C-alpha cells in the first residue's frame, strides 16, 4: 500500500509514523507513506495557500490551485483508489471503513486547515470525505494520523499475531472481552479462574459471553447493526 498525505504543516503529522506499529509496517515494506507540503505548490512568492472567503466571514480558505497542482502531479504518477478529504462533515470513521480501506493499493489524504478548503476542491477531486468524530480540530493532520493507524494495523502481516486484529473491538460488531496478564492475584483481585484452566474451548466460550455482555451493556447500538 502507498499513502500520500497532503498538508500545509506536514511536520505535525510525521511523528505518529516514527514509532510502534506504523513505523514497523513502513520498515517492513507493508506500506509507504509520503508527505507533501502544499506550500511547495503555491503559485506566488509568499508561499500563500489560503485566501479570504468570498461573501465575507471569519477564517481563511485553502485555495483550489495549489491543491489542484499537488493532486494532479500525484495522479499523473499513479492511479489512486481513493482521494480522501478529512472533514468534520464527512462520514464518521468506523472499523468497517478501516477494513475496506486496508485492502486498497494507493490512497491520497488531503488535510484541511484554517476554515477548510474551497468547495471546488471537494467537487473536483475528492472521492471520499472522512470525519474522526463530531468535534472540530484545527487541521486534518491528527485525523489523518488516526485514519492511517486504523488502516495500517489491518494490513495482513503488519500485526505480529495474525489473529490479534480480528479479536479487537468492533471487528464482529462486538466489544472486546476483558483481558488480564500476570500476576494472577493482585492484592486479592484475582484473574477469572477459567483463564487459568487451560481449557481453550471453554476460555473462548467465556470470552464470547463476556464480549456480548459488555457490548449489550456499553454499546447496544452496534449489536443492532
Ligand atoms: N470550517 C470547518 C472546520 C474547519 S477545521 C467546518 O465547520 O466544517 C480545519 C480542518 O480540520 C478541516 O478542513 C479538516 O481537514 C480538519 N478537521 C476538523 N475537524 C475534523 C474532524 N472531526 N475529522 C476530520 N478532520 C477534521
Amino acid at each position: 500500500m502507498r499513502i500520500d498525505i497532503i498538508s500545509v504543516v506536514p511536520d505535525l503529522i510525521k511523528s505518529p509514523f516514527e514509532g510502534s506499529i506504523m513505523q514497523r509496517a513502513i520498515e517492513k515494506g507493508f506500506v509507504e507513506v509520503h508527505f507533501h507540503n502544499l506550500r511547495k505548490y503555491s503559485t506566488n512568492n509568499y508561499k500563500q495557500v489560503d485566501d479570504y472567503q468570498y461573501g465575507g466571514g471569519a477564517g481563511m480558505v485553502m485555495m483550489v490551485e495549489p491543491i489542484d497542482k499537488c493532486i494532479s502531479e500525484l495522479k499523473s504518477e499513479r492511479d489512486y483508489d481513493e482521494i480522501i478529504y478529512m472533514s468534520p462533515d464527512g462520514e464518521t470513521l468506523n472499523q468497517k471503513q478501516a477494513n475496506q480501506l486496508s485492502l486498497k493499493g494507493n490512497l491520497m489524504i488531503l488535510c484541511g486547515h484554517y476554515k477548510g478548503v474551497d468547495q471546488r476542491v471537494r467537487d473536483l477531486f475528492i472521492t471520499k470525505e472522512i470525519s474522526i468524530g463530531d468535534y472540530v480540530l484545527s487541521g486534518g493532520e491528527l485525523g489523518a494520523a488516526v485514519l492511517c493507524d486504523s488502516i495500517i494495523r489491518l494490513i495482513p502481516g503488519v500485526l505480529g499475531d495474525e489473529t490479534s486484529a480480528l479479536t479487537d473491538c468492533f471487528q464482529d460488531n462486538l466489544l472486546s472481552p476483558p483481558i488480564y496478564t500476570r500476576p494472577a492475584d493482585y492484592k486479592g483481585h484475582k484473574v477469572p479462574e477459567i483463564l487459568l484452566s487451560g481449557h481453550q474451548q471453554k476460555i473462548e466460550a467465556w470470552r464470547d459471553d463476556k464480549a456480548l455482555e459488555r457490548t449489550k451493556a456499553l454499546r447496544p447500538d452496534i449489536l443492532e447493526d
Side-chain angles (χ1 to χ4, degrees):
M1 175 183 283
R2 175 182 167 118
I3 304 177
D4 289 276
I5 301 175
I6 305 169
S7 161
V8 278
V9 277
D11 286 345
L12 201 60
I13 198 187
K14 288 181 182 160
S15 73
F17 296 88
E18 291 167 355
S20 185
I21 288 170
M22 290 212 278
Q23 180 194 33
R24 236 179 29 222
I26 293 168
E27 280 173 4
K28 288 190 174 167
F30 289 109
V31 62
E32 269 179 51
V33 182
H34 299 267
F35 303 96
H36 306 277
N37 190 340
L38 199 56
R39 290 193 196 281
K40 203 182 115 190
Y41 299 87
S42 169
T43 46
N44 69 29
N45 292 337
Y46 305 104
K47 300 280 173 222
Q48 188 186 351
V49 290
D50 59 312
D51 211 334
Y52 294 102
Q53 325 193 19
Y54 276 121
M60 303 297 274
V61 176
M62 288 169 71
M63 294 186 287
V64 62
E65 193 175 8
I67 297 175
D68 179 1
K69 280 174 64 185
C70 181
I71 291 181
S72 299
E73 183 180 297
L74 289 169
K75 277 173 75 174
S76 73
E77 290 161 2
R78 70 196 61 77
D79 290 331
Y80 284 87
D81 297 294
E82 298 285 3
I83 302 180
I84 299 166
Y85 175 50
M86 301 309 301
S87 183
D89 58 9
E91 246 182 279
T92 308
L93 179 63
N94 59 28
Q95 193 66 15
K96 189 171 161 208
Q97 275 181 318
N99 278 317
Q100 284 166 355
L101 291 171
S102 73
L103 304 173
K104 305 290 185 193
N106 296 319
L107 299 175
M108 201 190 297
I109 304 175
L110 173 64
C111 304
H113 228 81
Y114 318 113
K115 201 69 188 156
V117 297
D118 187 307
Q119 180 59 38
R120 289 165 292 185
V121 170
R122 301 168 77 165
D123 297 342
L124 294 172
F125 307 110
I126 300 301
T127 63
K128 201 181 228 338
E129 301 192 332
I130 296 183
S131 162
I132 63 159
D134 288 348
Y135 40 82
V136 177
L137 305 165
S138 315
E141 288 74 18
L142 298 181
V146 168
L147 174 63
C148 288
D149 189 323
S150 74
I151 294 172
I152 289 172
R153 65 197 303 285
L154 291 171
I155 300 172
V158 165
L159 293 184
D161 176 355
E162 276 287 14
T163 61
S164 136
L166 301 177
T167 58
D168 279 337
C169 276
F170 307 115
Q171 280 295 13
D172 295 318
N173 283 353
L174 286 173
L175 301 182
S176 294
I179 50 172
Y180 300 87
T181 186
R182 279 185 289 191
D185 184 336
Y186 183 67
K187 298 180 178 173
H189 299 277
K190 295 195 174 111
V191 168
E193 204 72 45
I194 181 80
L195 296 178
L196 312 174
S197 69
H199 289 120
Q200 211 50 47
Q201 250 179 341
K202 283 188 188 163
I203 290 174
E204 288 314 322
W206 179 87
R207 285 181 172 152
D208 290 346
D209 283 352
K210 288 289 168 193
L212 192 59
E213 202 177 279
R214 213 175 231 198
T215 315
K216 277 183 182 161
L218 301 174
R219 291 294 303 273
D221 57 306
I222 61 171
L223 263 186
E224 283 154 20
D225 272 1

